[in-house]
Amino acid sequence: MKKSQISEMPQYYDRYINLIPDIELTDALDQSMKDLKLLDKNRLEKLNDKRYAPGKWSVKDIFQHLIDTERIFNYRILLFAREDETAAPGFDQDTYVIKATAERRTVSDLINELETVRAATKSLFKSFDTEILLRKGKSWEYESSVLALGFTILGHQSHHLNVIKEKYFPLCAEVK
């Protein structure tokens, strides 16, 4: 199913969903994997734990955040797909980043883990038919469909990769 087939655009997540073109979710998942494989890991490694401003995350923190968020969203997706009416709780992304200690890892390791998580996400979505993709549930404070959460994961990645390009890659010139 395509992004345009999301019956109701979920509040808050629409800012991520709208970053993805109106293509089939399976094609968008494939493109997201290609985007990860095309990342310049050497350039990202040179940034190490550098931040573009005080209080901002490092690129390692960003990749760990993407991994954690995708896992949490996959739990929500599974709840909705199986019509479990349990309200999926929110999570404190800043606490997760602090407790994850991503600075102990390499960028390459984090990207490899994100690719593994994405492959699992792709397998999960492959198991869904149209009826399941349209099922809804409450995610944190907002109602969303399985399909919308799939596009949210991909838009979330796109958002953060854009931040890395715009805010972090200019720092590479400062890194010796």
Side-chain angles (χ1 to χ4, degrees), residues 25 30 39 47 49 66 69 81 85 92 101-102 106 113-114 162-163:
L25 179 60
D30 289 340
L39 289 172
L47 288 166
D49 293 316
L66 288 171
T69 302
E85 294 184 16
D92 183 341
T101 63
T106 66
E113 183 177 349
L114 181 54
N162 288 338
V163 169

Side-chain angles (χ1 to χ4, degrees), residues 4 6 8-10 15 19 22 35 51 60 62 66 69 78 100-101 140 143 150 155 157 161 165-166 168:
S4 59
I6 296 171
E8 266 184 67
M9 192 64 77
R15 65 188 181 139
L19 294 173
D22 188 28
D35 293 344
R51 289 154 166 74
K60 290 178 185 179
I62 291 171
L66 288 171
T69 302
L78 194 58
T101 63
W140 183 39
E143 185 173 273
Q157 173 183 300
L161 293 182
K165 288 175 193 161
E166 293 168 13
Y168 291 84

Side-chain angles (χ1 to χ4, degrees), residues 2 4 12 16 19 22 41-43 62 70 78 83 87-88 92 107 117 131 138 147 160 164 171-173 176:
K2 292 183 175 185
S4 59
Y12 184 78
Y16 298 124
L19 294 173
D22 188 28
K41 291 179 185 177
N42 291 328
R43 192 174 184 189
I62 291 171
E70 187 157 341
L78 194 58
E83 296 184 310
D92 183 341
V107 170
V117 171
E131 179 186 334
K138 190 169 183 183
L147 180 64
H160 283 292
I164 289 170
L171 300 177
C172 286
K176 305 240 189 245

Side-chain angles (χ1 to χ4, degrees), residues 34-73:
K34 289 177 189 171
D35 293 344
L36 292 174
K37 294 208 180 295
L38 291 173
L39 289 172
D40 186 344
K41 291 179 185 177
N42 291 328
R43 192 174 184 189
L44 291 165
E45 291 287 4
K46 287 179 185 174
L47 288 166
N48 198 18
D49 293 316
K50 197 165 185 67
R51 289 154 166 74
Y52 71 88
K56 295 297 180 181
W57 296 342
S58 69
V59 292
K60 290 178 185 179
D61 292 331
I62 291 171
F63 284 113
Q64 186 65 63
H65 167 69
L66 288 171
I67 292 163
D68 290 348
T69 302
E70 187 157 341
R71 285 184 167 134
I72 290 166
F73 274 48

Side-chain angles (χ1 to χ4, degrees), residues 106-162:
T106 66
V107 170
S108 293
D109 184 44
L110 289 161
I111 293 171
N112 290 339
E113 183 177 349
L114 181 54
E115 290 172 346
T116 300
V117 171
R118 184 61 45 79
T121 299
K122 186 176 173 185
S123 290
L124 180 62
F125 274 97
K126 259 179 105 172
S127 73
F128 297 157
D129 61 17
T130 301
E131 179 186 334
I132 293 172
L133 288 170
L134 295 175
R135 289 179 183 162
K136 293 181 179 180
K138 190 169 183 183
S139 175
W140 183 39
E141 297 177 350
Y142 308 107
E143 185 173 273
S144 183
S145 68
V146 170
L147 180 64
L149 286 180
F151 279 104
T152 300
I153 287 171
L154 303 176
H156 185 243
Q157 173 183 300
S158 185
H159 163 75
H160 283 292
L161 293 182
N162 288 338

